[in-house]
């Protein structure tokens, strides 16, 4: 009956979870809307806001779970990848608590945690193929066993979430644009045609050309005195990104009979993406796991889940374990 307190602060969400044996006792998250005026995450501001909010959020998480800090068995934090200043706030808080209560400190890899969030739905059956789509990453990852990663393909430039956010900004929608494009696209119709990115380049992705295509159409409309139909442009962007992700993932699936397909990361909360994969999985009898939307975007629960597996194996890290802003998934070793 181990209780873990985990902290996620790698980007612009401060999220604390108390987990007991894979059951979420409490999850409190503060999302930093203050970045909207910059149209993206401003790192220095992100660190400041994490440090302002983190203590109160830890207290709230304890109150909601009805536990005291002295009852926690291990303290975990995202140690990378992410913004260096933001990571430091969460890691320092977790190390300080671990030191104060003489309990293990467990550093967790953010991307590994996104994939493990699927366990909130059902256990992973291996081999697993994971499509990880977030604000900073777009990857197809193969896992033959727990916590072992082989990267089959990744983006050569912008991540899928970044493409959503950048196009949203061009349409004067506030940051983060992904959820808004998703919502607006539901009311859109086919009107604008965007090229499908990197259809032939094995399992790699490329989304940077998308914003150029959108920009060209917007400029053309402006010159001819027409206004853009935002719903229809959102529809076109959503279709293009979802179709590309779907095409590459089904290509990977055709190469090996995976037991489970996991969709992970913030973009996995996209309705169009979820619907397309769910329909395909049903007709093709594929075991598909998509975390509920709250577990797709950054949250402390996914960090706690990985920490609980590490604690279970007796793993912990020394207090001088570093923050790793560029931590590669293939360097995440389970015995830290
Ligand atoms: O995983 P996440 O919360 O943070 C990172 O690790 O990056 O992902 C955030 C990204 C943002 O780019 C955001 O716009 C995108 O996920 N996102 C979405 C949706 N919800 C979040 N993109 C498309 N549709 C959504 N519903
Ligand atoms: Zn994330």
């Amino acid at each position: 009956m181990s209780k873990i307190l985990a902290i996620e602060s790698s980007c612009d969400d401060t999220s604390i979870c108390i987990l007991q044996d894979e059951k979420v006792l409490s999850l409190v998250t503060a999302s930093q809307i203050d970045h909207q005026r910059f149209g993206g995450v401003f790192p220095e501001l992100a660190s400041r806001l994490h440090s302002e909010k983190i203590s109160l959020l830890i207290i709230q998480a304890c109150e909601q779970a009805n536990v005291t800090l002295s009852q926690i068995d291990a303290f975990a934090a995202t140690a990378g990848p992410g913004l260096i200043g933001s990571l430091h706030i969460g890691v320092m808080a977790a190390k300080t608590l671990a030191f104060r209560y003489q309990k293990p400190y467990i550093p967790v890899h953010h991307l590994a945690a996104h994939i493990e969030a699927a366990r909130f739905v059902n256990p992973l059956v291996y081999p697993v193929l994971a499509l990880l789509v977030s604000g900073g990453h777009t990857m197809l990852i193969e896992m033959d066993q727990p916590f072992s990663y082989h990267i089959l393909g990744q983006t050569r430039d912008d991540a899928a979430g970044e493409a959503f956010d950048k196009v949203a900004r061009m349409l004067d929608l506030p940051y983060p644009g992904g959820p808004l494009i998703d919502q607006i696209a539901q009311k859109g119709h086919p009107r604008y045609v965007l090229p499908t990115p990197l259809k032939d380049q094995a399992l790699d992705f490329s989304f940077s050309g998308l914003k150029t295509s959108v920009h060209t159409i917007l400029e053309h409309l402006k010159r001819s005195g027409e206004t853009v139909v935002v719903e229809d442009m959102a529809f076109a962007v959503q279709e293009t990104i979802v179709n590309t992700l779907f095409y590459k993932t089904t290509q990977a699936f055709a190469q090996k009979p995976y037991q489970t397909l996991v969709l992970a990361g913030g973009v996995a909360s996209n309705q169009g993406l979820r619907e397309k994969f769910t329909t395909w999985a049903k007709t093709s009898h594929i075991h598909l796991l998509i975390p509920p939307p709250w577990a797709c975007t950054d949250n402390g629960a996914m960090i706690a889940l990985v920490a609980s597996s590490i604690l279970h194996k007796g793993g912990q890290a020394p207090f001088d374990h570093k923050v790793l802003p560029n931590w590669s998934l293939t360097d995440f070793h389970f015995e830290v």
Side-chain angles (χ1 to χ4, degrees):
M1 296 282 274
S2 305
K3 289 189 188 68
I4 296 192
L5 186 148
I7 302 171
E8 158 59 35
S9 69
S10 64
C11 190
D12 58 344
D13 293 305
T14 326
S15 184
I16 316 290
C17 174
I18 297 178
L19 190 86
Q20 178 170 345
D21 300 323
E22 309 209 344
K23 183 171 175 274
V24 176
L25 298 185
S26 66
L27 175 63
V28 289
T29 304
S31 299
Q32 305 176 353
I33 55 159
D34 312 55
H35 296 284
Q36 281 186 353
R37 67 194 141 113
F38 301 108
V41 178
F42 189 63
E44 167 60 27
L45 178 65
S47 318
R48 261 189 282 152
L49 293 172
H50 284 306
S51 75
E52 275 170 25
K53 288 177 189 159
I54 197 160
S55 313
L56 289 175
L57 291 172
I58 291 171
I59 295 169
Q60 267 180 34
C62 288
E63 283 172 358
Q64 281 184 23
N66 202 18
V67 298
T68 60
L69 286 170
S70 58
Q71 292 171 317
I72 301 290
D73 299 292
F75 295 91
T78 305
L83 301 172
I84 188 162
S86 295
L87 290 167
H88 267 296
I89 309 292
V91 163
M92 266 317 294
K95 282 183 180 174
T96 306
L97 290 167
F99 178 73
R100 161 70 180 80
Y101 293 98
Q102 292 297 295
K103 295 287 165 55
Y105 159 65
I106 302 176
V108 172
H109 194 289
H110 183 81
L111 303 184
H114 268 305
I115 298 171
E116 295 300 308
R119 282 164 48 201
F120 284 120
V121 184
N122 260 318
L124 301 181
V125 184
Y126 296 87
V128 166
L129 176 70
L131 171 68
L132 174 69
V133 269
S134 69
H137 297 85
T138 300
M139 288 177 164
L140 275 166
I141 300 153
E142 177 179 290
M143 294 169 71
D144 283 327
Q145 51 183 323
F147 302 101
S148 138
Y149 307 94
H150 175 53
I151 297 166
L152 301 175
Q154 56 191 315
T155 185
R156 296 182 176 188
D157 38 59
D158 291 352
E162 196 178 354
F164 271 112
D165 297 338
K166 284 182 175 170
V167 171
R169 197 174 166 183
M170 290 161 72
L171 296 172
D172 290 328
L173 299 170
Y175 176 85
L180 282 170
I181 297 256
D182 188 9
Q183 224 177 306
I184 296 169
Q186 309 299 319
K187 293 179 236 140
H189 301 94
R191 178 191 299 264
Y192 304 111
V193 180
L194 297 168
T196 309
L198 270 196
K199 193 136 192 186
D200 302 322
Q201 299 295 313
L203 297 176
D204 278 348
F205 302 87
S206 166
F207 290 107
S208 70
L210 193 63
K211 57 181 191 289
T212 316
S213 308
V214 173
H215 180 75
T216 309
I217 295 175
L218 293 180
E219 284 299 303
H220 175 77
L221 290 172
K222 211 163 137 190
R223 273 200 305 276
S224 49
E226 292 175 63
T227 47
V228 63
V229 182
V230 176
E231 291 84 358
D232 294 349
M233 185 56 88
F235 179 88
V237 169
Q238 170 125 328
E239 282 275 299
T240 307
I241 296 178
V242 168
N243 286 343
T244 305
L245 296 173
F246 180 75
Y247 175 76
K248 297 280 175 171
T249 308
T250 49
Q251 290 276 98
F253 228 93
Q255 289 169 17
K256 185 169 166 170
Y258 295 98
Q259 291 292 324
T260 312
L261 172 62
V262 170
L263 303 191
V267 179
S269 51
N270 183 276
Q271 295 176 63
L273 187 79
R274 298 172 83 92
E275 278 161 24
K276 186 149 188 125
F277 274 97
T278 304
T279 309
W280 172 71
K282 259 191 205 134
T283 49
S284 317
H285 305 287
I286 305 283
H287 179 48
L288 171 69
L289 294 181
I290 320 177
W294 67 262
C296 287
T297 44
D298 288 352
N299 67 88
M302 65 184 193
I303 307 302
L305 199 57
V306 175
S308 122
S309 301
I310 296 176
L311 184 70
H312 197 68
K313 296 254 173 176
Q316 63 171 299
F319 284 129
D320 63 354
H321 188 275
K322 286 189 177 62
V323 156
L324 300 157
N326 299 314
W327 204 357
S328 156
L329 192 51
T330 45
D331 288 340
F332 176 51
H333 300 298
F334 197 55
E335 289 80 22
V336 280

